[in-house]
Amino acid sequence: MTSQLNEAHDEMTSRALPHDSWGGHRIQPLTNEEFAKVLRAMEIPFDVDLVQWRVTEWSEDGTRGLMMPYADPRAYSDRLNNLFTPAGWTRRYTVQTSAPVQRSKRGPAAKILVTCEVTIAWIGTNSGTGEEWSDKENALTGAEAQAFKRALSCFGLGRYLYDMDGEWIELDENGVPKKIPRPPRWATPKGWLAGRRPKPRRNRRALVRANGHGSNGEFRSHGVNGNGNGSSQILIAEIEAMEKRIGHRLYRGLLKRVARAWSPQQIRESAVLEQVLAQMQGAERGVMRLEAARARLAPGIVEKIVVSLNTPPAKLEDLQSLHSLVVALEKEVEVSQTQG
């Protein structure tokens, strides 16, 4: 591991792990400095030998393929274990299936929908979704892996992979890539820790189409990452509806932090839209717990806690501040119940 990962690991493992009211654990909240250090350690790219590549789009004539990077779920869980120990995080899957539909001559198939909720003891909880058709090999495993990785990208782990444009590679007569790309320098631990970062992307989809050398710039998409405009518009509508539920300030803060955008309409990738929605859904749960705790405490006690943490509910902009306030209020509720 890098020195930055080691430092974050030492800080996390030096803390006790008894139960807490946030996500099932009673633990001491991180200081702002510790929180920032852990998030920076989460963002560090995986070692190059852990990154794999697959063709996700083809040129119209089938001679070139766009290869995109991904990492095995074990790389994600190994990073969590290194930083927080196996006792410092949990995941929970919820599986649903749609009604079967006729997809091919092989018969009807249902869509498997998986939600993965990941809780990191010192940080909080995020969720992600994955989906796959039941007639595909290892469909459930694939949907679970997708949901797990998307949940962790909300914490910053593996998020850098979404910023990689991939590379168009010549394919042989069997459709096999003639070479395997290498990540850009910024997408390696050494480059990242040296301060390298991806350049702002401008109209990435137009570049993808142009490099595909297909007829009229057209290309064919394949796999679970292919999402049409209809799916994106549904996600955008769901995100926009969250503003009234979590408040304007928190809504804008999460958009800026997760997607570096002021409006969901500015977000082009469906995966990023899903990350934003997952963060806002987590915020909604936190806001509901916040209101429940406030209703059980005297206004003076609530005000005292808000002032001590400098976290006025109307000015909350991130999940960490919301987390800290909820933990403090719920702890005070427990104290009042014990005294009562």
Side-chain angles (χ1 to χ4, degrees):
M1 292 191 296
T2 65
S3 60
Q4 188 168 337
L5 283 174
N6 278 322
E7 290 176 9
H9 169 266
D10 292 343
E11 288 188 359
M12 295 301 97
T13 53
S14 67
R15 291 173 171 266
L17 278 168
H19 282 295
D20 185 36
S21 58
W22 182 271
H25 303 283
R26 186 183 302 270
I27 40 105
Q28 179 184 356
L30 299 177
T31 65
N32 290 337
E33 181 179 354
E34 290 172 336
F35 184 71
K37 183 176 291 186
V38 172
L39 290 186
R40 288 196 298 269
M42 294 269 278
E43 292 176 345
I44 297 173
F46 297 117
D47 289 335
V48 174
D49 58 358
L50 296 178
V51 176
Q52 304 175 55
W53 298 80
R54 62 186 165 204
V55 177
T56 61
E57 296 168 7
W58 286 259
S59 61
E60 191 67 19
D61 59 10
T63 62
R64 291 166 58 82
L66 177 65
M67 298 194 70
M68 296 297 295
Y70 71 99
D72 187 272
R74 286 170 291 189
Y76 290 77
S77 57
D78 286 347
R79 175 70 61 85
L80 292 176
N81 289 338
N82 286 334
L83 284 174
F84 307 107
T85 79
W89 66 280
T90 61
R91 59 183 163 187
R92 182 171 64 89
Y93 291 105
T94 302
V95 181
Q96 297 176 304
T97 57
S98 66
V101 297
Q102 190 73 30
R103 292 188 66 231
S104 66
K105 296 180 179 179
R106 289 180 293 179
K111 178 65 74 69
I112 298 175
L113 307 170
V114 177
T115 299
C116 180
E117 189 175 85
V118 178
T119 298
I120 299 177
W122 293 272
I123 300 178
T125 301
N126 279 313
S127 62
T129 59
E131 62 181 49
E132 190 54 273
W133 288 103
S134 60
D135 59 352
K136 289 192 174 182
E137 186 177 1
N138 300 318
L140 180 58
T141 300
E144 287 180 345
Q146 186 184 53
F148 178 55
K149 291 189 282 188
R150 285 180 173 175
L152 289 174
S153 71
C154 297
F155 291 110
L157 180 53
R159 175 66 180 83
Y160 79 100
L161 292 169
Y162 293 102
D163 291 323
M164 295 176 64
D165 291 331
E167 184 176 343
W168 284 95
I169 299 295
E170 298 289 338
L171 306 177
D172 65 18
E173 62 276 8
N174 297 314
V176 177
K178 293 183 177 180
K179 70 172 186 177
I180 301 299
R182 298 285 295 178
R185 293 181 65 183
W186 67 263
T188 65
K190 184 176 180 180
W192 188 273
L193 294 173
R196 296 180 179 274
R197 294 296 184 271
K199 296 180 180 179
R201 291 181 294 183
R202 298 180 179 177
N203 198 3
R204 174 189 175 193
R205 180 55 63 190
L207 290 174
V208 168
R209 290 176 182 270
N211 288 329
H213 298 297
S215 175
N216 297 321
E218 295 181 354
F219 62 93
R220 292 179 286 122
S221 180
H222 176 75
V224 297
N225 291 325
N227 291 294
N229 291 332
S231 175
S232 295
Q233 289 304 314
I234 292 173
L235 289 169
I236 289 172
E238 291 185 62
I239 291 171
E240 290 176 336
M242 295 299 296
E243 184 172 6
K244 291 183 179 180
R245 302 179 192 174
I246 66 176
H248 176 78
R249 191 133 185 177
L250 187 54
Y251 175 81
R252 293 296 184 190
L254 292 176
L255 272 174
K256 182 178 179 181
R257 178 166 184 164
V258 179
R260 302 173 187 172
W262 289 104
S263 165
Q265 298 284 353
Q266 298 173 327
I267 305 172
R268 300 303 177 208
E269 292 87 359
S270 293
V272 179
L273 286 168
E274 291 178 349
Q275 293 167 34
V276 172
L277 180 59
Q279 287 267 327
M280 291 187 177
Q281 290 170 338
E284 183 183 19
R285 293 191 293 269
V287 169
M288 292 173 63
R289 291 174 57 182
L290 172 64
E291 295 304 321
R294 291 176 68 181
R296 301 173 68 178
L297 295 171
I301 295 178
V302 174
E303 182 63 23
K304 182 178 179 180
I305 294 174
V306 168
V307 171
S308 66
L309 295 176
N310 191 26
T311 53
K315 295 185 177 181
L316 291 173
E317 295 183 345
D318 59 84
L319 290 182
Q320 172 65 9
S321 299
L322 175 61
H323 169 201
S324 299
L325 182 56
V326 168
V327 169
L329 291 176
E330 290 184 338
K331 182 178 180 180
E332 189 61 35
V333 169
E334 291 181 3
V335 171
S336 64
Q337 289 177 335
T338 301
Q339 293 175 346

